[in-house]
Amino acid sequence: MVIFQCEDSVDGIFTGVYDAWDSRIGHEAVALRLREKMDLELFAEYREVETDAQKAAKVARSVRSKMGQDAYRVIYQAALSAYPEKADCIYRVIVHGMSANVTKYEAQNVIWNLQSRDVCRVFELSRKVGNEAHRYFQFVRFRELDSGVLFSEIQAENQVLPLIGEHFSDRFPNENFMIYDNGHNDCLIHGKQRPWFILRDTSPDEVAKDQLAVREEEMQELWKGFCRSISVEARENRGLQRQFWPLKFRRWMTEG
Amino acid sequence: MEIAKNMDLYKKLEILSDAAKYDVACTSSGIDRKGSGKGMGNCTAAGICHSFSADGRCIALLKILFTNECVFDCKYCVNRSSNDVERAAFTPDEVCRLTIEFYRRNYIEGLFLSSGILKSPSYTMELLYQTLYKLRHEYHFEGYIHVKAIPGAPQELIEKTGFLADRMSVNLELPTAESLRRLAPHKTRKKILAPMRQVQLSRKEHKNELMLFKNAPQFVPAGQSTQMIIGATPENDYQILSVAESLYQKFELKRVFYSAFVQVNQDAELPALPGGPPLLREHRLYQADWLLRFYGFGAGELLSEKRPNFNVFLDPKCDWALSHLEQFPVEINRADYYTLLRVPGIGPKSAQRIIKARRISSLDFADLKRAGVVLKRAIYFITCSGRQMYPLKIEEDFILRNLMYSQSRTPAETVTYRQLSLFDDDRVFGEVPQQLLQAGV
Ligand code: SF4
């Protein structure tokens, strides 16, 4: 068995797919693993995958054109998952769709195949990542710092920042904002009228992030008051509230 | 009834959100709109809930009244003129600032602006119009706006306001004209339906224009909705659902909301509700409404003169399936999308996956489970390649007993009254996107 160890990022995993395939060792005799996430196996040969944006882009392009945009989206989202064995599952699904003997029609439907364990796993991972990203459309809370920057801190399970950047930038083109994912130590950064980007392994200035704009506290009080007065006492149902709004999100929220 | 002049913003917001909370609509759904890049905001068709209040309801919009001052005296309403409650009114700028500041912190998707009747319907509508105009043109807000059309206001004013809003609603209030006469002496069915019809016609007209000129302004693009109060008057579920059905068909409404009556006033005309608001009944109506909109059911299939109310123990879809056993079992590998949807335990998402997956190979029960089908409900009603999962009797009593047993163990059904995610068929958040509906058709 030859094990390809790649970095935990979309580009890292796609480069791994490229190298493993390109090695011509045979799909049964190779495996793809994330670098830090593995126990070493005896009798296996290890190869380091060096992340290469061009190789990754080639894989992305081929997947898109043969397996279709839907399948690409599913695979891309799965690659952002926190699941430690995601890389190999993704490799298997791509092999499923891209092998020479698979017709284009079959390739376009691979992602709907309920009988393949790997496809079901990738589908499930993708669904979970997508759901979590949606949670952050809901639950990101910005506070205004005295610099005018809107700052938000979240603790995501999966790498959701790449999936929410577009949404918030489209919404706030004229704001300078930053969303810090302290679970992964990544920052999503958007400057007024500029494209957004992600800085990995970066944390914001500890002091600056607590220096609030003058009217910030007043706004927070108005909002908290609103959340209280909009509830109908005769319908009170804390269980239902908890079900929709889990504590792990509330912890980082203004009104939580 | 004095409106305090120098009341602070916190106090105003408290009074005017408290007075708005019995309006149940709080969704931001129905339109996808990207930002222009110049202002602030965009819209997402599925809608986004930003928070949840202590009653478990979603907070998506800054839901407020412009004022709770009112010259009308509807018996069921806290704001009625004969009540002695503290009154307040916003200025248009206050509403705009709150909307913008809440929006940029990602607290909300937009504004839901309603109002009591200050002086007259036209005077009130004019204030709503001015507020929206400022919000769109001075504050450059591009997020979601839901506004009330006030019955009795001039047509041109409603028309102008409609070009600034995403959704408009006129509340039907009560299911029948008779009930309205009794509880809302200043309102009539005719007056309520007039602006509803107007909004419907204007929407049609401007849709045609849009086909001709790509940049023609949009009129109420997310459609209109309405609300009925449930349990303040004696109508049965069949009457209520039939009214909803005709609103969908004849007025092309996007949503009908049902609001369990909450006792806020003592009045001889109002029923006493010792058990609190009729929440389970409201929940059943939402489930049935969902079946009308997304599952292709008609009101007359679910209820009848003879059986005018929903079953307390079973959701309307199971209830329907049990009384139509002659249509089952359904063959999973052949049935079309709408037939699949009628099977208890199968929802839009799983039906879509079944249809896609069976193109590759025929499906068995293990595949169905992976497709998200709730087998413990579905097994009585389906076959895979001609076989049942277990040799089960297709017999009403037997299935009923088993379904009730499994239902009492699904917490989502018994203790919660969910508005959007309605069946444990499918965990659908928000409205079902259009693609799903078209998938199998
Ligand atoms: S018109 Fe009737 S329902 Fe509306 S605020 Fe006035 S009293 Fe209440």
Side-chain angles (χ1 to χ4, degrees), chain B residues 70 72-74 76-77 79-81 115-117 173 187:
Chain B
C70 193
F72 287 0
D73 198 37
C74 308
Y76 48 81
C77 175
N79 306 317
R80 64 180 188 176
S81 57
S115 186
I117 313 297
E173 310 290 13
K187 294 179 177 169

Side-chain angles (χ1 to χ4, degrees), chain A residues 70 105-106 109-116 120 123-124 127 131 134-144 148 150 166-168 170-175 193 213 215-216 218-241 243-245 253-255, chain B residues 9-10 13-14 17-18 20-22 24 33-35 37-44 47-57 59 61-64 97-98 101-109 260 262 277 279 282 352-353 356-357 359-363 367 370-371 412 415-418 427 429:
Chain A
D70 286 352
Y105 176 80
E106 286 164 341
N109 281 305
V110 159
I111 211 65
W112 297 103
N113 185 339
L114 291 165
Q115 277 142 6
S116 151
C120 285
F123 200 93
E124 189 55 25
R127 203 180 56 82
N131 285 348
H134 183 85
R135 298 292 210 157
Y136 286 108
F137 292 164
Q138 304 177 269
F139 299 145
V140 157
R141 290 291 177 270
F142 289 108
R143 52 182 190 254
E144 186 177 350
L150 295 174
E166 188 54 41
H167 173 82
F168 285 109
D170 183 62
R171 182 161 281 210
F172 304 121
N174 292 315
E175 302 282 356
Q193 294 291 342
R215 298 194 25 245
E216 179 56 29
E218 183 196 341
M219 282 305 150
Q220 295 191 2
E221 285 315 307
L222 283 165
W223 170 241
K224 285 191 249 180
F226 173 78
C227 290
R228 274 192 297 275
S229 55
I230 204 68
S231 178
V232 177
E233 310 82 60
R235 303 180 61 119
E236 180 159 319
N237 188 341
R238 294 278 176 180
L240 189 56
Q241 183 191 35
Q243 181 186 332
F244 288 126
W245 192 26
M253 293 170 64
T254 319
E255 74 276 25
Chain B
L9 195 56
Y10 187 90
L13 180 59
E14 189 178 355
S17 55
D18 188 78
K21 70 188 176 190
Y22 299 102
V24 289
R33 181 174 60 226
K34 290 210 148 282
K38 295 182 199 116
M40 175 188 297
N42 59 18
C43 296
T44 306
I48 297 177
C49 285
H50 284 271
S51 200
F52 293 90
S53 44
D55 52 17
R57 296 189 305 165
I59 302 178
L61 303 171
L62 171 61
K63 182 162 57 183
I64 47 177
R97 278 207 310 273
L98 277 174
E101 292 301 332
F102 279 12
Y103 193 83
R104 65 194 279 267
R105 288 167 175 77
N106 206 40
Y107 296 164
I108 53 170
E109 280 300 286
V262 178
L279 295 173
E282 178 194 275
Q352 187 201 29
R353 282 190 77 182
K356 298 224 168 173
R359 286 187 205 146
I360 305 169
S361 61
S362 69
L363 307 179
D367 298 330
R370 287 192 282 268
V415 290
T416 64
Y417 309 99
R418 306 177 67 174
R427 299 264 156 173
F429 284 90

Side-chain angles (χ1 to χ4, degrees), chain B residues 113-127:
Chain B
L113 190 59
S114 177
S115 186
I117 313 297
L118 187 60
K119 294 190 183 149
S120 70
S122 5
Y123 186 82
T124 313
M125 197 69 219
E126 178 68 36
L127 283 169

